[in-house]
Amino acid sequence: MATTSSMFMYSLTIQPPTSVTQAILGQFAGTKEQQIVTASGSRLTIHRPDPTQGKITTILSQDVFGIIRTLAAFRLAGSNKDYIIIGSDSGRITIIEYVPAQNRFNRLHLETFGKSGVRRVIPGQYLAVDPKGRACLIASAEKNKLVYVLNRNAQAELTISSPLEAHKPQTLVFALVGLDVGYENPVFAVLEVDYTECDQDPTGQAFDEVEKSLVYYELDLGLNHVVRKWSDPVDRTANMLLQVPGGGDGPSGVLVCGLDNITYRHSNQEAFRVPIPRRRGATENPERKRCIVAGVMHKMRGAFFFLLQSEDGDLFKVTIDMVEDDNGQPTGEVKKLKIKYFDTVPIASNLCILKSGFLFVASETGNHHFYQFEKLGDDDNETEYDSDSFPADPTETYTAVYFHPRAAENVNLVESIDSMNPQLDCKVANLTDEDAPQIYSICGSGARSSFRMLKHGLEVSDIVDSELPSVPAAVWTTKITRNDEFDAYIVLSFDNGTLVLSIGETVEEVTDTGFLSSASTLAVQQLGEDALIQVHPKGIRHIRADRRVNEWPVPQHRSIVAATTNERQVAVALSSGEIVYFEMDTDGSLAEYDEKREMSGTVTCLSLGEVPEGRVRSQFLAVGCDDSTVRILSLDPDSTLENKSVQALTSAPSALSIMAMPDSTSGGSTLYLHIGLYSGVYLRTVLDEVTGELSDTRTRFLGPKPAKLFKVSVKGEPAVLALSSRSWLGYSDPQTKNFMLTPLSYVPLEWGSNFSSEQCTEGMVGIQGQNLRIFSIEKLGSNLLQQSIPLTYTPRKFVRHPEYPLFYTIESDNNTLSTETKQKLLNSETVVNGDGVTLPPEEFGYPRAQGHWASCIHVVDPITAKSTLQQIDLTDNEAATTIAAVSFSSQSDETFLVVGTGKDITVSPRTSSAGFIYIYRFLEEGKELEFIHKTKTEQPPTALLAFQGRLLAGVGNELRLYDLGLKQLLRKCQAQVVPNLIVGLQTQGSRIIVSDVQESIVYVVYKYQENRLIPFVDDVVARWTTCTTMVDYETVAGGDKFGNLWLLRCPQKASEEADEDGSGAHLVHERQYLQGAPNRLALMCHFYPQDIPTSIQKTQLVAGGRDILVWTGFQGTLGILVPFVSREDVDFFQTLEQHLRGEEAPLAGRDHLIYRSYYVPVKGMIDGDLCERYSLLSNDKKQMIAGELDRSVREIERKISDMRTRVAY
């Protein structure tokens, strides 16, 4: 990396991409249950479907720093564990296994066969495995195929052979599948086209006559080579192959799916063909042919079936009937192929059928769905079509068959998994007046699109919310004996008394517990085997199992101000500043330690740790005083209450908690002291278990109220509940074991405690005002909460109202019937009974029609109504292209909504019959839009922007300035500033940044006196710009459609010259450089994040955080770029990154540096996602890197976590 860059950014992912490009099923953990492995961009994720609850949980997700192109699962004969083969852009085949004990992926083999990158002739695009796990075939889109033989050696380890070639030049591959041939030689079926003759024939006749063939490649295991065994022409539109069970289960062979037909083919059988049924309905085009986009085969005992999905999302069940012998047993000879409508689900990139009776649909766009099978569609009255009525020859015609789509009967949706793919635009704004802003984004396509609000927090499920007679101060739960599984009492402390509730079927008040009810309570604890302790301001009450009560009274004129307990020890602080310490004797009574320890100031809080397993006492007592210190006192019999260490704080401590938590640094568990301050700051420091020293302090601001801390347990692990103006949970991340502090999406609580009962084994109880609330936290995996509002069509762009918390979206769908046309068709005379039914489009999609556009404008209220308030449909085949909120100075600065549309748009080649700019006025505080007028333009406007009280519009390659007239917009100024098409506009002062669709960006200055737009700086590289934002007056950050992020800066001199007073004549007459503007932009930073950036903005994400760049990616990624402040940090992270590239090489074999420099060498960027893998390394590797960097492991981990927590989640 060129370290000469004067600017450095740290790139981090907040939410990984959510689109699933491939999903496979297998028993990857080596147990009976199946897992799903998915690939999203460069991420490999393993999910565990839970059939009892009908949920899917993520077990492990890892970035492989390479593009995952294809995945396959295989298992060696006789084993019960599946391995994963990855075909990526590394030019290598990778075999990995999932190791459940360590919860990580382990790479077994990495075999290089070609160059890196996604290339036409380098294998990695297609991957197929022999069903018996003996071989795999990896192929490129053209020419090259390699077969690897898989086996095991004497130590039962997986081995891989050197590759066997099955190359055929000038051959394109369309699909590839392994044939099920039992234990005969492995055979692979391929759809191929040989284009040798097309290349040499300039007339194009050979292209019209070219044939697509189904080819069998056989791997001869005896001779160890691959032969081309059989080839036969198939339908030219064939695009997909599915394996048919063979051996003892079926006839073997493949299903070839083409346009409007499905054919069964095998080398020794007849061909059988059935058509793909078309939808019948008044709005459907009866001539439109469908093709199959996804399919899955499922074997059951003695039977099998296929579920194939058409491009409308309809599932068809395909079965094969076999000829039977005299005893009624199938012979393996095919009799006929049958197809019938099954159900409709979202269009999938992959379908997986689980043995437990579930169907996982990895949706192409929108949320992924998890269905349960109700029945297999055997006994319904859907028409079944079989191959007897249709010719097998692909050239012969036949009559089309139809079906009526209906609501799902065979499958039932049990879970919808959030996915923001495709994500088309995003804004960060604080509309709810919380301390941190929210992220608003538009995503999805067609009727499944949505407006989403993302908020940092954990999902909380409320169990009980009941009002109390008055406002309690604190709450505890306690068991009665040590061995109880569940809590028995809830103890509520009020200002003047204590209330005890028993926990059972219902929660009710009890009075005979031995607790003192006339005083408020400071602490409650189950002590020893079967005793209870209550600490109140005037003493300690020790309640024995036989209800005998021992009372320790406080010395005269003093009271207890703070207390802490565990199951064997009690410590209290008196108002005089003395600390009294008790320990439990062998007979179960509490013994007071002779001396009291005087502290320098008033004690504000105390904490004892839990008694470690096998010990009789906790070693340390933490004492917080109002002189802003925390002292650690020893509780050893030899040195009781002696000072061990002191920590000075920025304000007085309001809460302390000593607890052991899992730790990524040591790999085991570590003792921590958690400190809450009156200033609302939370600190976590490591407490040395031997010396009592405090080290490695990490801080976080929780809110303006004093912080209170409570020990709770979530998912069987200890966690800390921190309460300030919001409730937070501190826990160990299930995957990385890093400490996370996340706000709860819940009401602010004043006090909290653990809660466990039969109905809710792991929950929490808290106080909010006068209410008692019991709640639990289900998911720790994702710390971004989503709320979703459905939209009508694919959203394209959206803007926020300048004053009110409202958004305005424009949505448009191509080749879709508009509402108006649909109504006409439904109301026409010819509609037959049954055809006029309209189905919900979010499940069945919209009726398609070539050349039609459906488009609308929505007013969205994400805060109060949480829905869309108004929908304005566009008519006359117009589609909205861009939107802006503009205040016109000619209309006394009133803000109007401006929408650009195009009529009869063809996307490629880019044509349209006209463009329009609509003006709408805001009514009812922005909740309604009123149409004012529209102005015609020659082309659809593709970018709009408010500029100095006027409207700036990009129409084609012209930049225009409009003012608002009574009947239409008035053109004031125009200039041709880019070569192709303006796609984005940004402004500061009188400087305008114009993005071109394929020629990067141009800086333009507007000279008011002359009324001229003059370009003065452009770029060296032709970037296909997708989004831009101004970072400062000279610098622009942006993304392009190849998935790069970059920062460009204007030279200081050119910038100053452009802003000089005067007419700008010196800029116009300055000599052009290479047919462009006189100056060039300098590249500051460049990075390849492997997702197409669709929006980028400069903003903050946390309260009091620095300004950062937040970008969103097309596949649902949320990422940030954090600027470095000091050179020292840059050097540290650069060195760390270099070490990690060597020690933690990417899983799929890609070189990390080359991957991040896919199109342009990475510059001025540090990959935070790679740095964060440091905590997952083994201890010796961590120590080695720490030694090289001359830091401790804890220091490095703190620096890495600070980079994230200071600016984001």
Side-chain angles (χ1 to χ4, degrees):
M1 174 198 287
T3 47
T4 50
S5 178
S6 58
M7 180 173 188
F8 276 86
M9 309 286 276
Y10 184 79
S11 157
L12 267 179
T13 306
I14 294 178
Q15 176 177 289
T18 49
S19 73
V20 172
T21 46
Q22 184 128 21
I24 55 171
L25 195 61
Q27 295 168 348
F28 302 107
T31 55
K32 278 278 188 347
E33 66 171 26
Q34 291 176 303
Q35 290 88 16
I36 298 169
V37 169
T38 59
S40 327
S42 62
R43 266 187 185 265
L44 194 65
T45 311
I46 182 162
H47 309 268
R48 179 176 160 264
D50 185 343
T52 52
Q53 293 183 309
K55 280 195 165 62
I56 290 190
T57 48
T58 303
I59 312 175
L60 173 65
S61 178
Q62 181 174 340
D63 201 326
V64 302
F65 300 110
I67 298 170
I68 303 174
R69 297 160 73 187
T70 174
L71 291 175
F74 81 97
R75 74 169 65 181
L76 296 167
S79 94
N80 60 353
K81 177 168 185 165
D82 285 324
Y83 298 98
I84 305 163
I85 307 182
I86 306 176
S88 70
D89 63 341
S90 61
R92 299 162 161 188
I93 186 167
T94 318
I95 300 185
I96 61 168
E97 65 170 338
Y98 170 64
V99 186
Q102 300 158 332
N103 190 25
R104 66 186 188 91
F105 291 120
N106 181 21
R107 188 165 72 203
L108 302 173
H109 288 289
L110 185 65
E111 297 291 321
T112 308
F113 51 68
K115 292 178 177 172
S116 63
V118 179
R119 299 165 193 261
R120 205 168 64 167
V121 291
I122 303 293
Q125 187 62 33
Y126 299 106
L127 181 62
V129 176
D130 169 57
K132 292 283 185 270
R134 296 167 299 172
C136 73
L137 173 64
I138 188 163
S140 58
E142 184 180 334
K143 184 182 169 187
N144 294 335
K145 297 182 196 67
L146 296 172
V147 176
Y148 286 91
V149 180
L150 305 160
N151 214 325
R152 55 159 78 87
N153 60 12
Q155 286 78 46
E157 291 164 338
L158 176 72
T159 60
I160 186 167
S161 70
S162 29
L164 305 169
E165 297 183 352
H167 301 339
K168 187 160 188 286
Q170 298 188 307
T171 302
L172 297 173
V173 174
F174 286 84
L176 171 65
V177 70
L179 233 62
D180 189 347
V181 288
Y183 284 103
E184 292 171 20
N185 278 336
V187 177
F188 297 96
V190 186
L191 272 183
E192 286 184 355
V193 166
D194 185 337
Y195 66 83
T196 321
E197 289 170 9
C198 308
D199 249 8
Q200 279 130 27
D201 173 22
T203 61
Q205 189 187 343
F207 173 73
D208 295 333
E209 291 168 5
V210 73
E211 280 187 337
K212 194 174 276 187
S213 347
L214 175 65
V215 184
Y216 279 7
Y217 286 92
E218 182 178 20
L219 164 67
D220 193 320
L221 289 169
L223 299 171
N224 207 24
H225 74 119
V226 185
V227 290
R228 195 178 157 103
K229 185 181 172 189
W230 176 74
S231 167
D232 207 30
V234 291
D235 182 359
R236 190 169 164 177
T237 60
N239 66 323
M240 196 171 172
L241 294 176
L242 283 132
Q243 157 195 326
V244 177
D249 302 324
S252 185
V254 290
L255 286 188
V256 182
C257 305
L259 188 65
D260 209 37
N261 70 83
I262 298 162
T263 316
Y264 168 78
R265 299 301 301 261
H266 193 34
S267 53
N268 59 6
Q269 302 252 16
E270 298 278 313
F272 295 91
R273 186 166 75 139
V274 289
I276 300 172
R278 304 176 190 177
R279 283 189 182 181
R280 187 184 284 290
T283 53
E284 293 291 341
N285 171 10
E287 297 306 310
R288 186 163 75 86
K289 298 178 176 179
R290 314 300 203 266
C291 64
I292 297 295
V293 293
V296 60
M297 181 268 295
H298 186 63
K299 278 197 266 198
M300 298 168 299
R301 285 196 189 90
F304 63 90
F305 65 90
F306 295 86
L307 283 186
L308 304 182
Q309 188 181 38
S310 74
E311 70 218 70
D312 295 330
D314 300 321
L315 287 178
F316 298 103
K317 183 178 175 183
V318 174
T319 47
I320 294 176
D321 278 3
M322 287 184 276
V323 178
E324 292 178 353
D325 59 13
D326 304 340
N327 306 333
Q329 293 297 316
T331 57
E333 189 186 331
V334 177
K335 187 162 128 196
K336 58 180 167 190
L337 187 63
K338 299 194 292 193
I339 185 168
K340 70 171 179 178
Y341 174 61
F342 187 73
D343 264 338
T344 302
V345 299
I347 299 172
S349 55
N350 278 88
L351 298 166
C352 299
I353 297 180
L354 281 73
K355 285 184 179 150
S356 49
F358 288 89
L359 170 70
F360 175 65
V361 176
S363 308
E364 217 170 70
T365 65
N367 290 359
H368 308 302
H369 282 184
F370 193 49
Y371 293 93
Q372 186 166 16
F373 281 104
E374 299 289 323
K375 56 187 202 314
L376 290 176
D378 297 327
D379 49 356
D380 56 10
N381 48 15
E382 289 293 331
T383 321
E384 189 165 56
Y385 301 101
D386 62 39
S387 52
D388 293 351
S389 349
F390 301 96
D393 179 8
T395 54
E396 282 188 46
T397 55
Y398 52 84
T399 50
V401 297
Y402 296 93
F403 73 97
H404 280 293
R406 51 158 169 74
E409 286 177 2
N410 300 307
V411 292
N412 171 28
L413 181 64
V414 285
E415 196 189 12
S416 175
I417 301 145
D418 278 334
S419 165
M420 293 174 61
N421 161 53
Q423 182 167 234
L424 293 138
D425 200 355
C426 170
K427 304 258 187 284
V428 179
N430 189 358
L431 302 185
T432 52
D433 289 335
E434 290 173 18
D435 47 6
Q438 307 84 44
I439 299 170
Y440 298 90
S441 105
I442 47 174
C443 41
S445 72
R448 299 184 69 234
S449 54
S450 58
F451 180 100
R452 307 235 172 162
M453 171 172 143
L454 278 82
K455 196 168 117 192
H456 182 217
L458 287 173
E459 200 174 344
V460 172
S461 37
D462 228 337
I463 299 165
V464 174
D465 175 9
S466 64
E467 202 173 328
L468 297 165
S470 62
V471 178
V475 62
W476 293 269
T477 55
T478 178
K479 306 172 180 178
I480 293 180
T481 70
R482 173 188 284 182
N483 302 325
D484 285 359
E485 195 182 339
F486 300 122
D487 293 328
Y489 297 139
I490 295 177
V491 181
L492 289 158
S493 166
F494 296 90
D495 292 344
N496 54 1
T498 296
L499 180 69
V500 183
L501 308 172
S502 78
I503 304 170
E505 290 296 310
T506 58
V507 173
E508 48 209 32
E509 189 180 340
V510 281
T511 47
D512 57 346
T513 54
F515 281 99
L516 181 68
S517 60
S518 58
S520 63
T521 302
L522 295 171
V524 172
Q525 173 75 42
Q526 190 274 315
L527 191 82
E529 287 304 318
D530 51 10
L532 293 171
I533 279 257
Q534 178 193 15
V535 182
H536 53 89
K538 288 294 169 206
I540 301 174
R541 201 172 169 92
H542 184 187
I543 306 158
R544 287 306 201 37
D546 51 10
R547 296 291 154 92
R548 279 183 308 156
V549 173
N550 295 348
E551 183 85 50
W552 176 84
V554 174
Q556 264 188 332
H557 308 307
R558 295 175 208 168
S559 61
I560 298 177
V561 290
T564 176
T565 60
N566 64 27
E567 57 200 44
R568 300 187 61 86
Q569 295 157 290
V570 178
V572 296
L574 306 180
S575 49
S576 57
E578 292 166 310
I579 287 179
V580 190
Y581 169 63
F582 302 84
E583 203 169 295
M584 196 176 81
D585 268 354
T586 44
D587 63 350
S589 63
L590 274 184
E592 180 186 345
Y593 177 66
D594 325 339
E595 296 171 33
K596 298 182 175 62
R597 167 76 197 262
E598 285 230 18
M599 302 307 283
S600 53
T602 307
V603 177
T604 56
C605 48
L606 297 169
S607 175
L608 279 165
E610 291 287 306
V611 180
E613 198 72 34
R615 300 276 185 92
V616 290
R617 65 176 69 81
S618 164
Q619 299 287 71
F620 303 112
L621 170 67
V623 183
C625 300
D626 64 358
D627 57 358
S628 299
T629 59
V630 168
R631 288 182 170 75
I632 301 294
L633 307 184
S634 166
L635 298 179
D636 249 7
D638 314 334
S639 57
T640 310
L641 299 185
E642 276 184 24
N643 221 352
K644 282 285 192 182
S645 63
V646 181
Q647 166 104 22
L649 305 165
T650 53
S651 104
S654 55
L656 295 172
S657 175
I658 296 177
M659 58 198 273
M661 288 180 84
D663 176 26
S664 64
T665 310
S666 63
S669 122
T670 302
L671 205 58
Y672 289 106
L673 171 64
H674 302 269
I675 309 169
L677 305 185
Y678 275 101
S679 57
V681 172
Y682 159 83
L683 299 94
R684 183 186 80 138
T685 78
V686 174
L687 175 61
D688 190 297
E689 298 183 26
V690 182
T691 62
E693 289 292 319
L694 295 170
S695 61
D696 185 30
T697 307
R698 303 193 189 180
T699 60
R700 191 79 183 266
F701 176 62
L702 303 181
K705 280 183 166 178
K708 299 194 189 100
L709 306 174
F710 304 95
K711 183 183 172 186
V712 292
S713 102
V714 178
K715 297 273 177 246
E717 295 281 359
V720 59
L721 181 67
L723 307 178
S724 172
S725 55
R726 279 168 91 178
S727 313
W728 299 69
L729 186 75
Y731 58 97
S732 295
D733 183 85
Q735 277 182 36
T736 60
K737 296 286 176 263
N738 285 341
F739 183 72
M740 310 273 283
L741 192 65
T742 310
L744 299 181
S745 169
Y746 202 51
V747 291
L749 300 171
E750 275 100 58
W751 197 277
S753 172
N754 232 8
F755 178 82
S756 174
S757 73
E758 281 181 53
Q759 288 79 22
C760 163
T761 48
E762 198 175 57
M764 295 172 210
V765 56
I767 295 169
Q768 176 239 339
Q770 204 172 327
N771 292 6
L772 181 73
R773 285 175 175 261
I774 300 176
F775 58 94
S776 71
I777 293 165
E778 304 292 335
K779 282 189 199 158
L780 289 181
S782 69
N783 59 358
L784 277 176
L785 286 172
Q786 295 191 14
Q787 283 180 340
S788 172
I789 298 169
L791 298 174
T792 309
Y793 304 115
T794 307
R796 304 293 170 173
K797 291 197 174 77
F798 74 132
V799 294
R800 191 196 148 185
H801 192 288
E803 291 156 46
Y804 302 107
L806 298 168
F807 287 97
Y808 305 90
T809 63
I810 51 169
E811 300 153 39
S812 58
D813 269 327
N814 194 4
N815 295 340
T816 302
L817 285 180
S818 66
T819 324
E820 174 185 34
T821 324
K822 232 175 356 190
Q823 254 347 96
K824 266 187 206 154
L825 290 169
L826 288 169
N827 298 341
S828 79
E829 306 293 308
T830 53
V831 176
V832 199
N833 193 13
D835 284 358
V837 181
T838 48
L839 295 158
E842 52 276 10
E843 285 170 40
F844 296 90
Y846 291 110
R848 313 263 182 100
Q850 202 65 35
H852 284 257
W853 282 88
S855 183
C856 70
I857 303 164
H858 264 139
V859 183
V860 183
D861 177 358
I863 308 301
T864 44
K866 292 191 170 39
S867 67
T868 53
L869 304 178
Q870 185 187 7
Q871 175 171 341
I872 300 172
D873 282 307
L874 297 180
T875 54
D876 291 344
N877 207 26
E878 277 179 52
T881 53
T882 177
I883 186 169
V886 181
S887 72
F888 287 99
S889 37
S890 59
Q891 300 288 323
S892 59
D893 288 340
E894 187 187 341
T895 305
F896 292 87
L897 188 70
V898 185
V899 177
T901 70
K903 186 171 158 62
D904 306 326
I905 301 176
T906 312
V907 182
S908 175
R910 195 183 298 119
T911 58
S912 62
S913 59
F916 295 97
I917 301 177
Y918 284 74
I919 305 285
Y920 291 95
R921 179 176 263 131
F922 295 119
L923 302 175
E924 306 275 330
E925 299 187 337
K927 294 191 177 82
E928 270 184 41
L929 296 176
E930 178 193 22
F931 173 66
I932 305 289
H933 58 63
K934 67 177 182 180
T935 308
K936 192 172 180 179
T937 56
E938 309 81 75
Q939 291 181 32
T942 41
L944 298 170
L945 180 72
F947 177 71
Q948 297 182 355
R950 295 175 178 181
L951 168 68
L952 199 59
V955 180
N957 60 1
E958 285 181 349
L959 188 60
R960 295 183 181 172
L961 198 54
Y962 284 103
D963 208 340
L964 189 62
L966 284 174
K967 294 278 177 69
Q968 63 168 28
L969 289 168
L970 312 170
R971 195 185 317 180
K972 296 292 182 189
C973 170
Q974 79 172 38
Q976 198 169 324
V977 292
V978 298
N980 304 300
L981 177 74
I982 295 175
V983 289
L985 296 167
Q986 304 287 335
T987 181
Q988 268 188 35
S990 54
R991 176 169 300 179
I992 304 158
I993 310 293
V994 183
S995 327
D996 182 71
V997 67
Q998 66 185 64
E999 293 285 340
S1000 192
I1001 56 178
V1002 180
Y1003 282 41
V1004 176
V1005 63
Y1006 176 61
K1007 293 294 181 187
Y1008 188 76
Q1009 301 91 328
E1010 299 281 301
N1011 192 23
R1012 288 188 79 165
L1013 292 160
I1014 309 166
F1016 64 95
V1017 182
D1018 60 15
D1019 198 0
V1020 191
V1021 181
R1023 305 177 199 281
W1024 293 69
T1025 326
T1026 53
C1027 59
T1028 52
T1029 188
M1030 289 186 81
V1031 181
D1032 57 39
Y1033 193 55
E1034 261 91 39
T1035 319
V1036 170
D1040 63 41
K1041 77 166 195 183
F1042 294 101
N1044 299 299
L1045 285 167
W1046 28 264
L1047 264 91
L1048 301 170
R1049 184 167 282 169
C1050 170
Q1052 188 73 33
K1053 184 166 168 285
S1055 175
E1056 284 163 6
E1057 275 179 11
D1059 287 344
E1060 280 173 15
D1061 288 348
S1063 64
H1066 61 291
L1067 292 175
V1068 180
H1069 300 305
E1070 198 169 343
R1071 194 160 144 237
Q1072 285 194 342
Y1073 178 65
L1074 300 177
Q1075 281 89 46
N1079 299 294
R1080 291 288 178 269
L1081 294 164
L1083 179 68
M1084 302 305 293
C1085 302
H1086 200 284
F1087 188 69
Y1088 175 73
Q1090 217 253 287
D1091 196 354
I1092 302 168
T1094 51
S1095 81
I1096 185 165
Q1097 58 209 305
K1098 181 176 152 188
T1099 180
Q1100 299 165 354
L1101 279 184
V1102 292
R1106 291 215 311 270
D1107 269 352
I1108 53 175
L1109 290 174
V1110 178
W1111 67 275
T1112 57
F1114 187 73
Q1115 300 176 25
T1117 316
L1118 281 176
I1120 58 171
L1121 303 175
V1122 189
F1124 278 105
V1125 181
S1126 71
R1127 184 80 218 187
E1128 181 197 355
D1129 278 355
V1130 173
D1131 294 340
F1132 167 81
F1133 277 103
Q1134 257 180 335
T1135 325
L1136 175 65
E1137 192 181 30
Q1138 270 164 358
H1139 283 297
L1140 283 167
R1141 279 181 185 143
E1143 293 303 323
E1144 175 68 6
L1147 192 67
R1150 187 86 165 102
D1151 182 296
H1152 176 266
L1153 181 63
I1154 297 174
Y1155 166 68
R1156 288 300 189 200
S1157 313
Y1158 226 106
Y1159 295 94
V1160 174
V1162 63
K1163 179 177 181 182
M1165 282 276 192
I1166 298 207
D1167 187 358
D1169 294 337
L1170 179 68
C1171 294
E1172 290 192 341
R1173 289 200 62 75
Y1174 177 79
S1175 61
L1176 298 168
L1177 293 175
S1178 58
N1179 267 350
D1180 42 355
K1181 279 190 181 174
K1182 281 189 196 172
Q1183 296 288 357
M1184 192 205 82
I1185 293 177
E1188 294 276 339
L1189 289 166
D1190 203 17
R1191 306 273 174 124
S1192 72
V1193 174
R1194 280 200 187 282
E1195 248 181 299
I1196 295 177
E1197 296 206 330
R1198 182 167 99 222
K1199 269 184 116 58
I1200 294 170
S1201 90
D1202 277 357
M1203 279 308 284
R1204 183 183 275 272
T1205 54
R1206 285 197 177 152
V1207 293
Y1209 324 128

